[in-house]
Amino acid sequence: LTGEAYFEVTHRDDFPLLVKAGDLVVRDLGTTFNIKAYPGDHYIETSLVEGEADILTENGSPILALKPGESAMYFSDDKKMELRSIADNVLSAWRDGKFVIRDQRLEDIFKELSRWYGIEFRFENDRLRDYRFTGNIKKTTTAQHVLKMLKTTTNFNYRIIESIDKPDIVVVY
């Protein structure tokens, strides 16, 4: 898997679902889970909503057994795994098709939005990259509406450079 995927799987002993993401393999055990594995992020995140899932090495050795409400962050550069708990409202937001933002940097939020909307973000003011936000945003919302919502909670401006043959660019200043 390269990218992000949400799985709802009925477990079968005779035919387990294995998802390979980078250096890891996730094995379902009757499960609802999400995997985020974008090459540029330098981490793989596996979050378990319901059931059971094991995280294995590429050769099948067990690393971690996830429990519902847990998220495992594997940092590929350091070869380290970090276990976190996930709030119920975050899990339900995923199911309801929402961006879940929990104390995230504006630069990281824009990375997610860039993937979803197919637009590019550029900062003219580097200080804005570290502004932090928390909230849920419906994925059916337009990019312009998301920008207006973020703009109302902090002091930044933006302009959009539209293009016909390549992604539009949002310049943040």
Side-chain angles (χ1 to χ4, degrees):
L1 171 71
T2 299
E4 184 171 8
Y6 181 80
F7 298 87
E8 292 183 3
V9 179
T10 301
H11 179 70
R12 287 181 40 192
D13 284 333
D14 62 330
F15 197 72
L17 173 71
L18 300 173
V19 180
K20 183 177 182 327
D23 298 339
L24 302 178
V25 174
V26 178
R27 177 178 56 201
D28 91 281
L29 301 169
T31 311
T32 302
F33 62 102
N34 190 80
I35 300 175
K36 188 185 295 186
Y38 291 99
D41 286 351
H42 304 288
Y43 68 87
I44 299 167
E45 181 178 14
T46 305
S47 302
L48 184 62
V49 179
E50 296 175 341
E52 298 176 54
D54 290 335
I55 298 177
L56 315 170
T57 63
E58 282 183 290
N59 63 9
S61 299
I63 298 174
L64 181 68
L66 279 178
K67 296 182 178 92
E70 290 182 336
S71 177
M73 299 279 292
Y74 174 73
F75 298 94
S76 51
D77 293 343
D78 303 336
K79 306 279 190 232
K80 289 186 179 177
M81 184 79 70
E82 188 176 301
L83 191 62
R84 301 174 180 178
S85 63
I86 307 167
D88 287 340
N89 61 341
V90 172
L91 298 175
S92 66
W94 282 340
R95 288 182 181 162
D96 298 337
K98 296 178 183 174
F99 292 109
V100 179
I101 301 168
R102 293 292 174 262
D103 192 32
Q104 286 180 272
R105 296 172 57 238
L106 188 58
E107 182 175 30
D108 296 329
I109 294 167
F110 283 167
K111 191 183 293 186
E112 281 288 315
L113 297 177
S114 178
R115 292 174 181 144
W116 184 256
Y117 293 112
I119 56 180
E120 185 180 322
F121 289 88
R122 293 188 186 156
F123 287 87
E124 285 186 349
N125 180 345
D126 284 335
R127 195 182 82 237
L128 296 172
R129 293 176 189 271
D130 292 323
Y131 279 24
R132 300 188 90 76
F133 294 88
T134 296
N136 295 338
I137 302 169
K138 288 184 179 181
K139 289 187 174 182
T140 55
T141 302
T142 66
Q144 287 190 0
H145 184 70
V146 173
L147 285 166
K148 286 178 187 173
M149 289 181 355
L150 291 171
K151 182 180 187 248
T152 60
T153 61
T154 191
N155 189 21
F156 75 83
N157 287 303
Y158 64 90
R159 66 181 178 278
I160 300 172
I161 303 169
E162 294 182 3
S163 180
I164 295 170
D165 57 347
K166 50 189 175 178
D168 292 347
I169 299 170
V170 177
V171 179
V172 181
Y173 58 96

